[in-house]
């Protein structure tokens, strides 16, 4: 963690395009709240999480040939995106598919970091 002075915190840069600052997680250009957000904030955080899932799917598809189980990983990313599109996404379903994705994409640091950030957001939002 880096700080700018006594008691100040400028957040954590987790590498690549992931940044954790207070209760927000930024994945590339998408963010999601990691604390217990208010209803309006939760709605915005879910929208950002959906955007992050779309980006994750694009990344998994673009790296599909680099993964041993590339087709299955793309399928899992598609299931995450589809579940997040529901009115009431199911936390257990999301975490199960993200848990499947995490070790499969570990070879690509940026994608693995995105999966971890999305998992954290799902845990706090649902």
């Amino acid at each position: 963690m880096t700080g700018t002075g006594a008691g100040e915190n400028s957040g954590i840069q987790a590498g690549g395009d992931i940044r954790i600052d207070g209760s927000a997680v930024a994945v590339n250009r998408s963010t999601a709240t990691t604390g217990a957000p208010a209803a309006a904030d939760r709605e915005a955080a879910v929208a950002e999480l959906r955007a992050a899932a779309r980006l994750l799917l694009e990344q998994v598809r673009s790296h599909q040939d680099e993964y041993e189980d590339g087709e299955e990983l793309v399928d899992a990313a598609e299931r995450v995106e589809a579940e997040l599109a529901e009115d009431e996404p199911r936390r257990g379903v999301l975490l199960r598919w993200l848990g499947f994705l995490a070790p499969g994409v570990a070879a690509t640091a940026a994608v693995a970091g995105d999966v971890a950030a999305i998992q954290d957001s799902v845990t706090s939002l649902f």
Side-chain angles (χ1 to χ4, degrees):
M1 218 172 358
T2 61
T4 57
E8 293 182 34
N9 182 351
S10 62
I12 301 169
Q13 183 70 37
D17 292 330
I18 298 174
R19 179 169 175 76
I20 302 169
D21 190 7
S23 64
V25 175
V27 181
N28 292 325
R29 291 171 294 280
S30 300
T31 60
T33 303
T34 60
D41 291 341
R42 183 181 187 278
E43 192 174 307
V46 170
E48 292 293 335
L49 185 55
R50 288 176 175 143
R54 281 190 299 277
L55 178 61
L56 173 65
L57 176 56
E58 291 173 18
Q59 290 175 325
V60 172
R61 281 183 178 149
S62 70
H63 293 282
Q64 180 177 350
D65 294 339
E66 300 171 30
Y67 305 130
E68 184 176 330
D69 299 318
E71 275 186 48
E72 291 85 1
L73 295 172
V74 168
D75 181 59
E78 288 171 345
R79 289 175 186 258
V80 168
E81 183 182 44
E83 186 64 30
L84 283 169
E86 297 292 328
D87 289 338
E88 291 295 325
R90 296 169 294 174
R91 179 181 190 217
V93 171
L94 289 166
L95 292 176
R96 182 172 48 246
W97 287 113
L98 290 165
F100 175 78
L101 274 165
V105 298
T108 309
V111 178
D114 290 350
V115 170
I118 292 170
Q119 284 175 311
D120 290 342
S121 295
V122 165
T123 299
S124 67
L125 286 171
F126 303 109

